[in-house]
PDB file of all heavy atoms in Angstrom:
ATOM      1  N   GLU A 265       9.900  -5.334 -10.564  1.00 90.00           N
ATOM      2  CA  GLU A 265      11.349  -5.432 -10.767  1.00 90.00           C
ATOM      3  C   GLU A 265      12.114  -5.437  -9.455  1.00 90.00           C
ATOM      4  O   GLU A 265      13.185  -6.039  -9.358  1.00 90.00           O
ATOM      5  CB  GLU A 265      11.829  -4.258 -11.621  1.00 90.00           C
ATOM      6  CG  GLU A 265      11.612  -4.464 -13.084  1.00 90.00           C
ATOM      7  CD  GLU A 265      12.437  -3.539 -13.941  1.00 90.00           C
ATOM      8  OE1 GLU A 265      13.029  -2.586 -13.382  1.00 90.00           O
ATOM      9  OE2 GLU A 265      12.506  -3.767 -15.154  1.00 90.00           O
ATOM     10  N   GLU A 268      12.072  -8.862  -8.216  1.00 92.00           N
ATOM     11  CA  GLU A 268      12.887  -9.707  -9.092  1.00 92.00           C
ATOM     12  C   GLU A 268      14.370  -9.476  -8.840  1.00 92.00           C
ATOM     13  O   GLU A 268      15.169 -10.415  -8.833  1.00 92.00           O
ATOM     14  CB  GLU A 268      12.561  -9.408 -10.562  1.00 92.00           C
ATOM     15  CG  GLU A 268      11.249 -10.013 -11.018  1.00 92.00           C
ATOM     16  CD  GLU A 268      10.916  -9.674 -12.453  1.00 92.00           C
ATOM     17  OE1 GLU A 268      11.599  -8.790 -13.022  1.00 92.00           O
ATOM     18  OE2 GLU A 268      10.004 -10.288 -12.998  1.00 92.00           O
ATOM     19  N   SER A 269      14.740  -8.197  -8.644  1.00 92.00           N
ATOM     20  CA  SER A 269      16.168  -7.944  -8.427  1.00 92.00           C
ATOM     21  C   SER A 269      16.610  -8.565  -7.110  1.00 92.00           C
ATOM     22  O   SER A 269      17.735  -9.056  -6.996  1.00 92.00           O
ATOM     23  CB  SER A 269      16.470  -6.449  -8.435  1.00 92.00           C
ATOM     24  OG  SER A 269      16.075  -5.863  -7.237  1.00 92.00           O
ATOM     25  N   VAL A 271      15.340 -11.346  -5.853  1.00 91.00           N
ATOM     26  CA  VAL A 271      15.456 -12.776  -6.119  1.00 91.00           C
ATOM     27  C   VAL A 271      16.755 -13.073  -6.874  1.00 91.00           C
ATOM     28  O   VAL A 271      17.490 -14.000  -6.535  1.00 91.00           O
ATOM     29  CB  VAL A 271      14.243 -13.261  -6.946  1.00 91.00           C
ATOM     30  CG1 VAL A 271      14.485 -14.643  -7.490  1.00 91.00           C
ATOM     31  CG2 VAL A 271      13.000 -13.252  -6.094  1.00 91.00           C
ATOM     32  N   GLY A 274      19.914 -13.367  -5.129  1.00 88.00           N
ATOM     33  CA  GLY A 274      20.122 -14.581  -4.359  1.00 88.00           C
ATOM     34  C   GLY A 274      19.440 -14.595  -3.006  1.00 88.00           C
ATOM     35  O   GLY A 274      19.816 -15.351  -2.124  1.00 88.00           O
ATOM     36  N   CYS A 275      18.407 -13.749  -2.814  1.00 90.00           N
ATOM     37  CA  CYS A 275      17.734 -13.742  -1.518  1.00 90.00           C
ATOM     38  C   CYS A 275      16.853 -14.967  -1.375  1.00 90.00           C
ATOM     39  O   CYS A 275      16.199 -15.370  -2.320  1.00 90.00           O
ATOM     40  CB  CYS A 275      16.815 -12.524  -1.412  1.00 90.00           C
ATOM     41  SG  CYS A 275      17.668 -10.974  -1.306  1.00 90.00           S
ATOM     42  N   ASN A 276      16.825 -15.519  -0.162  1.00 89.00           N
ATOM     43  CA  ASN A 276      15.773 -16.491   0.116  1.00 89.00           C
ATOM     44  C   ASN A 276      14.535 -15.717   0.559  1.00 89.00           C
ATOM     45  O   ASN A 276      14.555 -14.492   0.600  1.00 89.00           O
ATOM     46  CB  ASN A 276      16.222 -17.498   1.176  1.00 89.00           C
ATOM     47  CG  ASN A 276      16.658 -16.824   2.454  1.00 89.00           C
ATOM     48  OD1 ASN A 276      16.131 -15.774   2.828  1.00 89.00           O
ATOM     49  ND2 ASN A 276      17.615 -17.408   3.127  1.00 89.00           N
ATOM     50  N   GLN A 279      14.942 -13.162   3.503  1.00 89.00           N
ATOM     51  CA  GLN A 279      15.764 -12.012   3.147  1.00 89.00           C
ATOM     52  C   GLN A 279      15.019 -11.090   2.203  1.00 89.00           C
ATOM     53  O   GLN A 279      15.081  -9.866   2.308  1.00 89.00           O
ATOM     54  CB  GLN A 279      17.068 -12.468   2.469  1.00 89.00           C
ATOM     55  CG  GLN A 279      18.073 -13.049   3.405  1.00 89.00           C
ATOM     56  CD  GLN A 279      19.224 -13.685   2.663  1.00 89.00           C
ATOM     57  OE1 GLN A 279      19.025 -14.302   1.625  1.00 89.00           O
ATOM     58  NE2 GLN A 279      20.420 -13.536   3.182  1.00 89.00           N
ATOM     59  N   VAL A 284      14.281  -6.415   1.284  1.00 90.00           N
ATOM     60  CA  VAL A 284      13.899  -5.782   0.025  1.00 90.00           C
ATOM     61  C   VAL A 284      12.478  -5.222   0.072  1.00 90.00           C
ATOM     62  O   VAL A 284      12.259  -4.031  -0.054  1.00 90.00           O
ATOM     63  CB  VAL A 284      14.019  -6.782  -1.142  1.00 90.00           C
ATOM     64  CG1 VAL A 284      13.578  -6.146  -2.438  1.00 90.00           C
ATOM     65  CG2 VAL A 284      15.447  -7.268  -1.257  1.00 90.00           C
ATOM     66  N   PRO A 287      11.379  -2.754   3.401  1.00 88.00           N
ATOM     67  CA  PRO A 287      12.011  -1.439   3.379  1.00 88.00           C
ATOM     68  C   PRO A 287      11.566  -0.601   2.178  1.00 88.00           C
ATOM     69  O   PRO A 287      11.404   0.609   2.300  1.00 88.00           O
ATOM     70  CB  PRO A 287      13.497  -1.746   3.291  1.00 88.00           C
ATOM     71  CG  PRO A 287      13.652  -3.112   3.815  1.00 88.00           C
ATOM     72  CD  PRO A 287      12.411  -3.826   3.467  1.00 88.00           C
ATOM     73  N   GLN A 360      13.254  10.801   4.465  1.00 69.00           N
ATOM     74  CA  GLN A 360      14.169  10.045   3.629  1.00 69.00           C
ATOM     75  C   GLN A 360      15.374   9.640   4.457  1.00 69.00           C
ATOM     76  O   GLN A 360      15.824  10.386   5.298  1.00 69.00           O
ATOM     77  CB  GLN A 360      14.652  10.934   2.477  1.00 69.00           C
ATOM     78  CG  GLN A 360      13.535  11.541   1.664  1.00 69.00           C
ATOM     79  CD  GLN A 360      13.053  10.588   0.605  1.00 69.00           C
ATOM     80  OE1 GLN A 360      13.111   9.378   0.778  1.00 69.00           O
ATOM     81  NE2 GLN A 360      12.590  11.129  -0.492  1.00 69.00           N
ATOM     82  N   THR A 361      15.917   8.464   4.170  1.00 66.00           N
ATOM     83  CA  THR A 361      17.113   8.054   4.922  1.00 66.00           C
ATOM     84  C   THR A 361      18.278   8.945   4.525  1.00 66.00           C
ATOM     85  O   THR A 361      18.407   9.358   3.385  1.00 66.00           O
ATOM     86  CB  THR A 361      17.493   6.607   4.599  1.00 66.00           C
ATOM     87  OG1 THR A 361      17.107   6.342   3.249  1.00 66.00           O
ATOM     88  CG2 THR A 361      16.788   5.650   5.511  1.00 66.00           C
ATOM     89  N   TYR A 363      22.568   9.690   4.875  1.00 62.00           N
ATOM     90  CA  TYR A 363      23.813   8.973   5.084  1.00 62.00           C
ATOM     91  C   TYR A 363      24.596   9.672   6.170  1.00 62.00           C
ATOM     92  O   TYR A 363      24.744  10.883   6.161  1.00 62.00           O
ATOM     93  CB  TYR A 363      24.625   8.956   3.794  1.00 62.00           C
ATOM     94  CG  TYR A 363      25.839   8.088   3.912  1.00 62.00           C
ATOM     95  CD1 TYR A 363      25.692   6.707   3.953  1.00 62.00           C
ATOM     96  CD2 TYR A 363      27.093   8.621   4.019  1.00 62.00           C
ATOM     97  CE1 TYR A 363      26.786   5.895   4.086  1.00 62.00           C
ATOM     98  CE2 TYR A 363      28.187   7.802   4.141  1.00 62.00           C
ATOM     99  CZ  TYR A 363      28.032   6.446   4.176  1.00 62.00           C
ATOM    100  OH  TYR A 363      29.106   5.636   4.312  1.00 62.00           O
ATOM    101  N   ASP A 366      29.887   9.345   7.722  1.00 57.00           N
ATOM    102  CA  ASP A 366      31.052  10.223   7.627  1.00 57.00           C
ATOM    103  C   ASP A 366      31.109  11.279   8.705  1.00 57.00           C
ATOM    104  O   ASP A 366      32.062  12.031   8.790  1.00 57.00           O
ATOM    105  CB  ASP A 366      31.031  10.953   6.269  1.00 57.00           C
ATOM    106  CG  ASP A 366      31.572  10.063   5.162  1.00 57.00           C
ATOM    107  OD1 ASP A 366      32.174   9.034   5.507  1.00 57.00           O
ATOM    108  OD2 ASP A 366      31.385  10.413   3.995  1.00 57.00           O
TER     109      ASP A 366
ATOM    110  N   ARG B 104      13.051 -14.461 -18.590  1.00 92.00           N
ATOM    111  CA  ARG B 104      12.609 -14.818 -17.261  1.00 92.00           C
ATOM    112  C   ARG B 104      12.473 -16.324 -17.082  1.00 92.00           C
ATOM    113  O   ARG B 104      12.573 -16.836 -15.970  1.00 92.00           O
ATOM    114  CB  ARG B 104      11.302 -14.103 -16.941  1.00 92.00           C
ATOM    115  CG  ARG B 104      11.580 -12.699 -16.494  1.00 92.00           C
ATOM    116  CD  ARG B 104      10.368 -11.843 -16.340  1.00 92.00           C
ATOM    117  NE  ARG B 104      10.732 -10.607 -15.668  1.00 92.00           N
ATOM    118  CZ  ARG B 104      11.465  -9.648 -16.198  1.00 92.00           C
ATOM    119  NH1 ARG B 104      11.877  -9.776 -17.447  1.00 92.00           N
ATOM    120  NH2 ARG B 104      11.789  -8.577 -15.525  1.00 92.00           N
ATOM    121  N   ILE B 133      18.808 -20.821  -5.405  1.00 91.00           N
ATOM    122  CA  ILE B 133      19.403 -19.708  -4.680  1.00 91.00           C
ATOM    123  C   ILE B 133      20.922 -19.772  -4.785  1.00 91.00           C
ATOM    124  O   ILE B 133      21.587 -18.756  -5.010  1.00 91.00           O
ATOM    125  CB  ILE B 133      18.945 -19.711  -3.213  1.00 91.00           C
ATOM    126  CG1 ILE B 133      17.471 -19.347  -3.154  1.00 91.00           C
ATOM    127  CG2 ILE B 133      19.756 -18.740  -2.384  1.00 91.00           C
ATOM    128  CD1 ILE B 133      16.921 -19.315  -1.765  1.00 91.00           C
ATOM    129  N   ARG B 136      21.930 -18.540  -8.135  1.00 91.00           N
ATOM    130  CA  ARG B 136      21.831 -17.095  -8.298  1.00 91.00           C
ATOM    131  C   ARG B 136      22.893 -16.364  -7.517  1.00 91.00           C
ATOM    132  O   ARG B 136      23.319 -15.284  -7.884  1.00 91.00           O
ATOM    133  CB  ARG B 136      20.450 -16.627  -7.861  1.00 91.00           C
ATOM    134  CG  ARG B 136      19.399 -17.049  -8.830  1.00 91.00           C
ATOM    135  CD  ARG B 136      18.052 -16.634  -8.382  1.00 91.00           C
ATOM    136  NE  ARG B 136      17.051 -17.040  -9.353  1.00 91.00           N
ATOM    137  CZ  ARG B 136      15.898 -17.570  -9.029  1.00 91.00           C
ATOM    138  NH1 ARG B 136      15.596 -17.758  -7.770  1.00 91.00           N
ATOM    139  NH2 ARG B 136      15.042 -17.896  -9.965  1.00 91.00           N
ATOM    140  N   ARG B 137      23.303 -16.942  -6.382  1.00 91.00           N
ATOM    141  CA  ARG B 137      24.286 -16.243  -5.569  1.00 91.00           C
ATOM    142  C   ARG B 137      25.681 -16.347  -6.155  1.00 91.00           C
ATOM    143  O   ARG B 137      26.570 -15.580  -5.793  1.00 91.00           O
ATOM    144  CB  ARG B 137      24.305 -16.827  -4.150  1.00 91.00           C
ATOM    145  CG  ARG B 137      23.124 -16.386  -3.339  1.00 91.00           C
ATOM    146  CD  ARG B 137      23.191 -16.970  -1.948  1.00 91.00           C
ATOM    147  NE  ARG B 137      22.026 -16.561  -1.169  1.00 91.00           N
ATOM    148  CZ  ARG B 137      21.780 -16.955   0.061  1.00 91.00           C
ATOM    149  NH1 ARG B 137      22.616 -17.782   0.652  1.00 91.00           N
ATOM    150  NH2 ARG B 137      20.710 -16.535   0.695  1.00 91.00           N
ATOM    151  N   PHE B 144      18.257  -4.725 -14.748  1.00 94.00           N
ATOM    152  CA  PHE B 144      16.842  -4.522 -15.040  1.00 94.00           C
ATOM    153  C   PHE B 144      16.588  -3.219 -15.774  1.00 94.00           C
ATOM    154  O   PHE B 144      17.338  -2.259 -15.651  1.00 94.00           O
ATOM    155  CB  PHE B 144      16.022  -4.527 -13.750  1.00 94.00           C
ATOM    156  CG  PHE B 144      16.011  -5.864 -13.075  1.00 94.00           C
ATOM    157  CD1 PHE B 144      17.028  -6.222 -12.215  1.00 94.00           C
ATOM    158  CD2 PHE B 144      14.996  -6.764 -13.308  1.00 94.00           C
ATOM    159  CE1 PHE B 144      17.033  -7.458 -11.603  1.00 94.00           C
ATOM    160  CE2 PHE B 144      14.986  -8.002 -12.699  1.00 94.00           C
ATOM    161  CZ  PHE B 144      16.011  -8.353 -11.841  1.00 94.00           C
ATOM    162  N   GLN B 145      15.474  -3.182 -16.494  1.00 92.00           N
ATOM    163  CA  GLN B 145      15.157  -2.023 -17.312  1.00 92.00           C
ATOM    164  C   GLN B 145      14.985  -0.766 -16.479  1.00 92.00           C
ATOM    165  O   GLN B 145      15.472   0.308 -16.839  1.00 92.00           O
ATOM    166  CB  GLN B 145      13.866  -2.297 -18.088  1.00 92.00           C
ATOM    167  CG  GLN B 145      13.481  -1.186 -19.026  1.00 92.00           C
ATOM    168  CD  GLN B 145      12.262  -1.557 -19.844  1.00 92.00           C
ATOM    169  OE1 GLN B 145      11.718  -2.645 -19.704  1.00 92.00           O
ATOM    170  NE2 GLN B 145      11.838  -0.668 -20.707  1.00 92.00           N
ATOM    171  N   ASN B 146      14.286  -0.871 -15.351  1.00 91.00           N
ATOM    172  CA  ASN B 146      14.053   0.316 -14.533  1.00 91.00           C
ATOM    173  C   ASN B 146      14.946   0.330 -13.300  1.00 91.00           C
ATOM    174  O   ASN B 146      14.545   0.849 -12.258  1.00 91.00           O
ATOM    175  CB  ASN B 146      12.576   0.385 -14.132  1.00 91.00           C
ATOM    176  CG  ASN B 146      11.715   0.691 -15.334  1.00 91.00           C
ATOM    177  OD1 ASN B 146      11.991   1.604 -16.091  1.00 91.00           O
ATOM    178  ND2 ASN B 146      10.682  -0.102 -15.540  1.00 91.00           N
ATOM    179  N   ALA B 148      15.754  -0.938 -10.641  1.00 92.00           N
ATOM    180  CA  ALA B 148      15.432  -1.781  -9.481  1.00 92.00           C
ATOM    181  C   ALA B 148      16.445  -1.643  -8.351  1.00 92.00           C
ATOM    182  O   ALA B 148      16.860  -2.638  -7.753  1.00 92.00           O
ATOM    183  CB  ALA B 148      15.300  -3.247  -9.897  1.00 92.00           C
ATOM    184  N   HIS B 152      16.437   2.776  -0.126  1.00 86.00           N
ATOM    185  CA  HIS B 152      16.868   3.163   1.206  1.00 86.00           C
ATOM    186  C   HIS B 152      18.340   2.855   1.431  1.00 86.00           C
ATOM    187  O   HIS B 152      18.833   2.993   2.550  1.00 86.00           O
ATOM    188  CB  HIS B 152      16.017   2.439   2.255  1.00 86.00           C
ATOM    189  CG  HIS B 152      16.048   0.954   2.101  1.00 86.00           C
ATOM    190  ND1 HIS B 152      15.394   0.274   1.107  1.00 86.00           N
ATOM    191  CD2 HIS B 152      16.687   0.003   2.808  1.00 86.00           C
ATOM    192  CE1 HIS B 152      15.609  -1.006   1.204  1.00 86.00           C
ATOM    193  NE2 HIS B 152      16.394  -1.217   2.231  1.00 86.00           N
ATOM    194  N   THR B 154      22.534   3.241   0.102  1.00 89.00           N
ATOM    195  CA  THR B 154      23.424   4.043  -0.730  1.00 89.00           C
ATOM    196  C   THR B 154      23.915   3.216  -1.908  1.00 89.00           C
ATOM    197  O   THR B 154      23.669   2.014  -1.994  1.00 89.00           O
ATOM    198  CB  THR B 154      24.655   4.501   0.059  1.00 89.00           C
ATOM    199  OG1 THR B 154      25.345   3.316   0.502  1.00 89.00           O
ATOM    200  CG2 THR B 154      24.272   5.331   1.252  1.00 89.00           C
ATOM    201  N   VAL B 165      23.860 -10.751   1.039  1.00 90.00           N
ATOM    202  CA  VAL B 165      22.854 -11.811   1.029  1.00 90.00           C
ATOM    203  C   VAL B 165      23.531 -13.176   1.095  1.00 90.00           C
ATOM    204  O   VAL B 165      23.043 -14.112   1.730  1.00 90.00           O
ATOM    205  CB  VAL B 165      22.006 -11.677  -0.261  1.00 90.00           C
ATOM    206  CG1 VAL B 165      21.287 -12.947  -0.575  1.00 90.00           C
ATOM    207  CG2 VAL B 165      21.038 -10.542  -0.117  1.00 90.00           C
ATOM    208  N   ASN B 191      28.410   7.273  -1.571  1.00 88.00           N
ATOM    209  CA  ASN B 191      27.469   7.478  -0.488  1.00 88.00           C
ATOM    210  C   ASN B 191      26.211   8.199  -0.926  1.00 88.00           C
ATOM    211  O   ASN B 191      25.465   8.706  -0.102  1.00 88.00           O
ATOM    212  CB  ASN B 191      28.145   8.247   0.653  1.00 88.00           C
ATOM    213  CG  ASN B 191      29.305   7.450   1.195  1.00 88.00           C
ATOM    214  OD1 ASN B 191      29.240   6.235   1.244  1.00 88.00           O
ATOM    215  ND2 ASN B 191      30.357   8.132   1.575  1.00 88.00           N
ATOM    216  N   PHE B 193      22.413   8.398  -2.564  1.00 91.00           N
ATOM    217  CA  PHE B 193      21.245   7.534  -2.639  1.00 91.00           C
ATOM    218  C   PHE B 193      20.717   7.529  -4.069  1.00 91.00           C
ATOM    219  O   PHE B 193      20.924   8.495  -4.796  1.00 91.00           O
ATOM    220  CB  PHE B 193      20.159   8.020  -1.679  1.00 91.00           C
ATOM    221  CG  PHE B 193      20.456   7.681  -0.249  1.00 91.00           C
ATOM    222  CD1 PHE B 193      21.134   8.577   0.556  1.00 91.00           C
ATOM    223  CD2 PHE B 193      20.073   6.466   0.274  1.00 91.00           C
ATOM    224  CE1 PHE B 193      21.425   8.253   1.870  1.00 91.00           C
ATOM    225  CE2 PHE B 193      20.356   6.143   1.588  1.00 91.00           C
ATOM    226  CZ  PHE B 193      21.044   7.040   2.386  1.00 91.00           C
ATOM    227  N   ARG B 195      18.010   8.240  -5.376  1.00 90.00           N
ATOM    228  CA  ARG B 195      17.218   9.392  -5.783  1.00 90.00           C
ATOM    229  C   ARG B 195      18.094  10.579  -6.178  1.00 90.00           C
ATOM    230  O   ARG B 195      17.620  11.527  -6.784  1.00 90.00           O
ATOM    231  CB  ARG B 195      16.273   9.804  -4.653  1.00 90.00           C
ATOM    232  CG  ARG B 195      16.989  10.325  -3.425  1.00 90.00           C
ATOM    233  CD  ARG B 195      16.031  10.773  -2.344  1.00 90.00           C
ATOM    234  NE  ARG B 195      16.726  11.372  -1.228  1.00 90.00           N
ATOM    235  CZ  ARG B 195      17.190  10.708  -0.191  1.00 90.00           C
ATOM    236  NH1 ARG B 195      17.024   9.394  -0.130  1.00 90.00           N
ATOM    237  NH2 ARG B 195      17.823  11.319   0.787  1.00 90.00           N
TER     238      ARG B 195
END
Side-chain angles (χ1 to χ4, degrees):
Chain A
E265 279 198 349
E268 284 178 349
S269 77
V271 167
C275 291
N276 56 33
Q279 285 170 322
V284 178
Q360 305 276 30
T361 31
Y363 187 72
D366 279 347
Chain B
R104 278 172 169 70
I133 290 180
R136 289 178 179 137
R137 285 181 181 177
F144 293 85
Q145 183 175 0
N146 290 311
H152 56 286
T154 60
V165 161
N191 299 325
F193 284 92
R195 66 178 185 272

